[in-house]
Amino acid sequence: MEGSMAIESEVFKSGMRRLAAGVSIITTTGLDGPRGLTATAVCSVSVAPPTLLCCVNRGSSAHDTIRAAGILAINFLAERDQDLATRFSGAETRESRFALGSWFTLATGSPILETALASFDCRVVSTIDGASHSIFFAEVIAVRTGAAVGPLLYFDGAYGGFAATETLPSGR
Amino acid sequence: MEGSMAIESEVFKSGMRRLAAGVSIITTTGLDGPRGLTATAVCSVSVAPPTLLCCVNRGSSAHDTIRAAGILAINFLAERDQDLATRFSGAETRESRFALGSWFTLATGSPILETALASFDCRVVSTIDGASHSIFFAEVIAVRTGAAVGPLLYFDGAYGGFAATETLPSGR
């Protein structure tokens, strides 16, 4: 392994486009009001204590507010909320993002989306500073489960939905 | 926020079932041969250096080998490889898992799946010990992109595929 060089950024990004992921809106709130961004880098870390992690670009408008406030909520988007995903990842001003959709709060004050499949209201318990992203470890203090509809997915630069498949016969 | 209690495990797990995710097989190899497991907790962390993270259950057969060997590969599965996902998450013995599918190696010796959408051959650069899972930060030293077919997804306890949607008109 010694001397192995990291591969080039473009090769990495081209491969990573093939990671399909559910789409979330991560929100927070601070002295300057609510902030949010569309994200796909969200994982479950442990059940006890219930902990998620999310990777947030340090350049995003929500990043510094999450760091300062120490709270965030992760809202798993339904397929029908694709326009929210677009709005929270686009050039919309920070304030106008929340004009679309119906939002409320649970424990921390971070915005919870009425139409989300599930929402996790969290406090940040630790943070890792990456080169371009911060990784927030977030303990879940309230969960809200919404309607049982299909999830919004992102794959190879496009949004889409989930199509359940039949189990394949074993032995191809 | 003071005094907020973490929520119960069942509530957390029930909400987390609604996180749709692409399915990967994480592999490694050590003195005791190749090991692998099906996983959905995989994220991109940074482009420079190209880094992924994955959360691996400490009880999985591959976990200790990854820790000892310091290498792993992440193979993003195609929808048509659902039977591999089942095999690498089931009761199959450790050795017989690799009898299905076509495997080769790149830089580290960790098994790379011929039919994967993309494979990332990595060295572990740091590890966080969680309560039930280890979080491996893995620097990518080789990428292999496979056929451009649909990804395998997991949502609400079922496997499925990706169905690209038309862009919704803005303003509902």
Side-chain angles (χ1 to χ4, degrees), chain A residues 49-135:
Chain A
T51 309
L52 296 168
L53 71 75
C54 59
C55 304
V56 176
N57 193 300
R58 298 165 70 95
S60 71
S61 69
H63 177 275
D64 292 353
T65 305
I66 295 173
R67 289 215 67 143
I71 54 172
L72 60 83
I74 300 177
N75 299 277
F76 298 167
L77 292 190
E79 183 179 5
R80 62 190 179 193
D81 276 335
Q82 183 181 329
D83 50 350
L84 276 169
T86 303
R87 176 173 287 228
F88 276 80
S89 61
E92 289 282 340
T93 62
R94 302 164 185 185
E95 290 73 15
S96 76
R97 291 184 172 191
F98 291 96
L100 186 66
S102 177
W103 302 88
F104 63 102
T105 61
L106 285 172
T108 72
S110 303
I112 303 293
L113 178 64
E114 174 70 33
T115 53
L117 299 182
S119 299
F120 297 78
D121 201 14
C122 307
R123 58 181 164 216
V124 176
V125 290
S126 66
T127 305
I128 295 178
D129 297 316
S132 55
H133 290 67
S134 290
I135 303 164

Side-chain angles (χ1 to χ4, degrees), chain A residues 21 27 37 49 168:
Chain A
T27 64
L37 78 159
L168 295 175

Side-chain angles (χ1 to χ4, degrees), chain B residues 25 27-29 34-35 73 75 98 103-105 108-113:
Chain B
I25 291 179
T27 64
T28 188
T29 193
R35 292 285 179 270
N75 299 277
F98 291 95
W103 302 89
F104 63 103
T105 61
T108 72
S110 302
I112 304 294
L113 177 64

Side-chain angles (χ1 to χ4, degrees), chain B residues 61-83:
Chain B
S61 69
H63 177 273
D64 292 353
T65 305
I66 295 173
R67 291 215 64 143
I71 55 174
L72 60 83
I74 300 176
N75 299 277
F76 298 167
L77 292 188
E79 182 178 6
R80 61 190 180 193
D81 277 336
Q82 183 181 329
D83 49 349

